[in-house]
């Protein structure tokens, strides 16, 4: 721990606020096991890839499946920006089906088509199956839908609208999934399918002995748009899993928001297992559900010729839609998601000089360019570092409800007053309030 102090002092001298935040985070989480496998007797808890700690005392073991093997993507890639969507204006979203779903839902709820597309750079008469959109374009479209379409259930209807046409979309190969676990992995964590189903959302996956928890992390979404985007993402997962599996999958949901007035819409589209005023927006699924085999969808053409193996589904970067159009799927991370993984992976490294400059070097860009690109997405290196630390604190205190001493030790904070101040600053609540 003492080895980090010279680095922090040097950063303060340079007044690089973002780098200070990143280094302070690593200083406070050096013992936390954030990002890489951890095997020790320090009773540390982890977040990032996998943790094998002295879980008996804490009655928990946390494993996070967010590594390169599960996600078709290295955490830190030597190719730098080649595998990262650096700009929010890069066109990587397979947008035809997403746009059609958005238009259909919004128009049915009284929106004006011209106003829906205004400012998006999307032109309906030029929209083709192979059309690609940028994150900015798709985010702008959802802002227009949210502001113009009437009804508290518009977000949920959007999720269902896209699911209704999955057989014709690039998600068609997912009919080859053999069980719920395979399907959930493809939908929520494969980058190739992310860009044609949930382009603004990447799920972080945690698990304990009995359950999987999926926490959404958003790209290019403002605070005003966040709750709407959460509802769209959750409804999409529910509807897609139901359509592809040909049955309703048992899922539970938690929200940081208070119980909404339109609770009936939540229950209709997500089910009855809902909880509010929680630490995380998240999806929970029991592990016994993951092992359930999938039924062949009655409306799909799952003949022996079309029922390809999952190995082929994962390895191919192109997919054939029902109409016969070949779509090239993008195996790339958004820049904010890459930075999150970088923080996860680097926070437990022994090297003390890992921060914003080193991240910029990894991406083959200057520090100024990296800051500007992150600003395009409406975020910063400091904000993403704090998001990592905040999620770690919430996982320890709200989900696992460990003591202050245990949580402080896991986060690498030596004195309890500083720990309580840090938690309050990051979450807005005291450790005791988070355990409720």
């Amino acid at each position: 721990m003492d080895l980090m102090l010279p680095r922090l002092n040097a950063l303060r001298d340079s007044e690089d606020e973002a780098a200070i935040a990143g280094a302070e985070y690593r200083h406070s989480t050096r013992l936390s096991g954030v990002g890489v496998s951890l095997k020790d007797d320090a009773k540390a808890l982890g977040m990032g890839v996998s943790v094998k700690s002295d879980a008996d005392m804490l009655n928990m073991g946390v494993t996070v499946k967010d590594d390169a093997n599960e996600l078709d993507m290295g955490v830190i890639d030597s190719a730098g920006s080649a595998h990262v969507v650096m700009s929010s204006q890069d066109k990587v979203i397979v947008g035809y089906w997403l746009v059609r779903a958005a238009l259909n839902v919004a128009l049915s709820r009284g929106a004006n088509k011209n106003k829906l597309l205004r400012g998006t750079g999307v032109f309906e008469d030029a929209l083709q199956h192979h059309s690609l959109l940028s994150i900015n374009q798709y985010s702008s479209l959802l802002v227009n839908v949210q502001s113009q379409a009437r009804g508290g259930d518009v977000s949920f209807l959007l999720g269902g609208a896209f699911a209704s046409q999955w057989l014709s979309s690039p998600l068609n190969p997912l009919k080859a999934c053999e069980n719920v676990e395979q399907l959930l992995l493809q939908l929520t964590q494969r980058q190739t399918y992310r860009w044609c189903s949930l382009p603004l959302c990447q799920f972080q996956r945690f698990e304990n002995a009995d359950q999987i928890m999926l926490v959404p992390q958003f790209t290019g979404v403002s605070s005003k748009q966040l709750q709407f985007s959460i509802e769209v993402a959750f409804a999409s997962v529910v509807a897609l899993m139901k359509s592809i599996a040909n049955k309703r999958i048992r899922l539970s949901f938690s929200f940081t928001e208070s119980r909404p007035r339109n609770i009936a819409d939540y229950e209709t589209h997500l089910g009855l297992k809902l909880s509010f005023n929680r630490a995380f927006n998240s999806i929970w699924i029991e592990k016994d559900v993951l092992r359930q085999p999938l039924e062949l969808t009655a409306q799909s053409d799952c003949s022996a010729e079309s029922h390809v193996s999952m190995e082929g589904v994962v390895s191919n970067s192109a997919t054939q839609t029902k109409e016969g159009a070949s779509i090239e799927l993008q195996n790339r991370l958004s820049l904010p998601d890459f930075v999150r993984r970088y923080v996860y992976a680097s926070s437990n490294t022994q090297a003390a000089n890992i921060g914003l400059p080193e991240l910029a070097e990894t991406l083959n860009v200057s520090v100024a360019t990296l800051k500007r690109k992150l600003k395009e997405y409406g975020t910063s290196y400091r904000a993403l570092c704090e998001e990592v630390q905040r999620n770690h604190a919430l996982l320890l205190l709200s989900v696992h409800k460990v003591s202050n001493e245990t949580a402080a030790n896991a986060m690498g904070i030596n004195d309890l007053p500083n720990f309580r101040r840090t938690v309050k600053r990051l979450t807005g609540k005291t450790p005791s309030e988070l355990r409720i």
Side-chain angles (χ1 to χ4, degrees):
M1 295 287 291
D2 294 339
L3 295 177
M4 290 298 296
L5 295 178
R7 171 62 177 166
L8 289 174
N9 291 334
L11 290 173
R12 290 189 175 93
D13 291 341
S14 68
E15 297 184 353
D16 189 333
E17 186 177 49
I20 290 174
E24 286 180 335
Y25 172 71
R26 286 185 295 282
H27 176 61
S28 65
T29 59
R30 185 62 60 196
L31 299 180
S32 66
V34 181
V36 297
S37 296
L38 175 66
K39 296 181 181 179
D40 61 19
D41 296 321
K43 302 176 182 62
L45 300 177
M47 174 180 164
V49 178
S50 71
V51 175
K52 296 182 180 179
S53 61
D54 189 353
D56 292 339
M57 173 184 175
L58 301 173
N59 193 27
M60 74 180 124
V62 182
T63 302
V64 182
K65 291 189 177 179
D66 194 24
D67 59 303
N69 291 332
E70 293 293 337
L71 293 161
D72 287 345
M73 179 69 67
V75 175
I76 305 298
D77 196 299
S78 59
S81 58
H83 295 299
V84 180
V85 182
M86 291 295 293
S87 173
S88 60
Q89 300 178 42
D90 290 344
K91 294 191 175 183
V92 292
I93 299 173
V94 184
Y96 175 83
W97 294 270
L98 295 170
V99 172
R100 296 309 315 173
L103 290 178
N104 290 341
V105 169
L107 293 175
S108 71
R109 290 306 181 91
N112 179 284
K113 183 183 296 186
N114 294 328
K115 291 182 178 180
L116 282 174
L117 297 178
R118 183 176 298 168
T120 65
V122 177
F123 302 95
E124 188 180 19
D125 56 356
L127 199 61
Q128 304 293 327
H129 286 176
H130 61 273
S131 296
L132 296 178
L133 307 180
S134 69
I135 290 171
N136 275 356
Q137 287 180 300
Y138 185 60
S139 180
S140 297
L141 178 62
L142 290 189
V143 168
N144 291 346
V145 171
Q146 183 181 5
S147 63
Q148 295 182 41
R150 295 190 296 268
D153 61 346
V154 171
S155 56
F156 301 112
L157 293 177
L158 256 181
F162 180 62
S164 68
Q165 49 189 344
W166 74 272
L167 272 173
S168 301
S169 81
L171 295 180
N172 177 276
L174 295 185
K175 63 191 176 203
C177 292
E178 297 177 356
N179 53 40
V180 174
E181 168 72 7
Q182 279 189 353
L183 179 56
L184 187 70
L185 176 67
Q186 305 303 316
L187 284 178
T188 62
Q189 297 192 272
R190 292 290 179 194
Q191 296 304 311
T192 49
Y193 291 114
R194 177 250 185 100
W195 297 114
C196 54
S197 59
L198 295 168
L200 304 184
C201 179
Q202 176 67 58
F203 285 94
Q204 180 78 36
R205 171 171 165 158
F206 305 93
E207 72 179 74
N208 57 27
D210 303 313
Q211 293 177 308
I212 300 294
M213 180 174 72
L214 298 173
V215 178
Q217 299 173 322
F218 289 92
T219 292
V221 173
S222 68
S223 58
K224 291 182 179 180
Q225 195 185 358
L226 181 59
Q227 185 60 29
F228 184 84
S229 299
I230 290 169
E231 293 166 5
V232 170
F234 285 3
S236 294
V237 171
V238 171
L240 282 167
M241 291 189 72
K242 181 179 179 181
S243 295
I244 298 172
N246 202 27
K247 61 181 178 181
R248 187 70 177 257
I249 305 298
R250 190 171 75 246
L251 301 172
S252 302
F253 300 88
S254 66
F255 297 88
T256 58
E257 298 291 322
S258 302
R259 181 182 173 92
R261 293 182 178 179
N262 63 324
I263 187 64
D265 295 327
Y266 283 73
E267 294 174 343
T268 298
H269 296 277
L270 302 182
L272 300 179
K273 294 188 175 183
L274 306 169
S275 56
F276 300 92
N277 292 312
R278 301 299 184 184
F280 286 103
N281 295 297
S282 59
I283 302 175
W284 292 81
I285 183 168
E286 302 290 336
K287 284 190 173 179
D288 63 324
V289 175
L290 294 176
R291 293 186 288 269
Q292 293 179 3
L294 300 187
E295 302 174 17
L296 295 182
T297 308
Q299 46 181 265
S300 70
D301 55 342
C302 291
S303 61
E305 292 79 10
S306 64
H307 192 81
V308 297
S309 69
M310 283 310 299
E311 182 180 356
V313 170
V314 172
S315 62
N316 291 337
S317 60
T319 184
Q320 198 83 4
T321 67
K322 193 171 183 180
E323 285 81 1
S326 180
I327 304 294
E328 189 73 19
L329 299 180
Q330 301 294 320
N331 187 21
R332 301 169 68 188
L333 281 169
S334 72
L335 178 58
D337 288 324
F338 184 89
V339 174
R340 290 183 182 109
R341 293 200 196 180
Y342 177 88
V343 175
Y344 295 154
S346 65
S347 59
N348 198 56
T349 183
Q350 297 302 310
N353 62 339
I354 293 181
L356 188 63
E358 290 71 31
L359 173 59
E361 184 178 355
T362 298
L363 292 169
N364 298 318
V365 297
S366 67
V367 171
T369 296
L370 179 54
K371 288 181 178 180
R372 185 175 68 253
K373 293 297 184 181
L374 286 171
K375 190 174 181 180
E376 272 186 29
Y377 284 99
T379 189
S380 66
Y381 183 70
R382 179 173 189 168
L384 294 170
C385 286
E386 290 188 342
E387 180 184 345
V388 173
Q389 192 178 27
R390 180 173 61 253
N391 285 346
H392 194 196
L394 291 172
L395 184 70
L396 292 167
L397 297 168
S398 183
V399 177
H400 297 298
K401 303 185 186 300
V402 302
S403 67
N404 283 3
E405 291 80 2
T406 301
N409 182 58
M411 296 177 66
I413 302 176
N414 292 326
D415 63 287
L416 291 181
N418 184 36
F419 167 74
R420 285 190 286 268
R421 286 194 298 271
T422 300
V423 171
K424 178 71 173 179
R425 176 177 61 83
L426 291 170
T427 70
K429 295 183 179 181
T430 66
S432 298
E433 290 172 336
L434 289 175
R435 290 191 192 92
I436 297 175

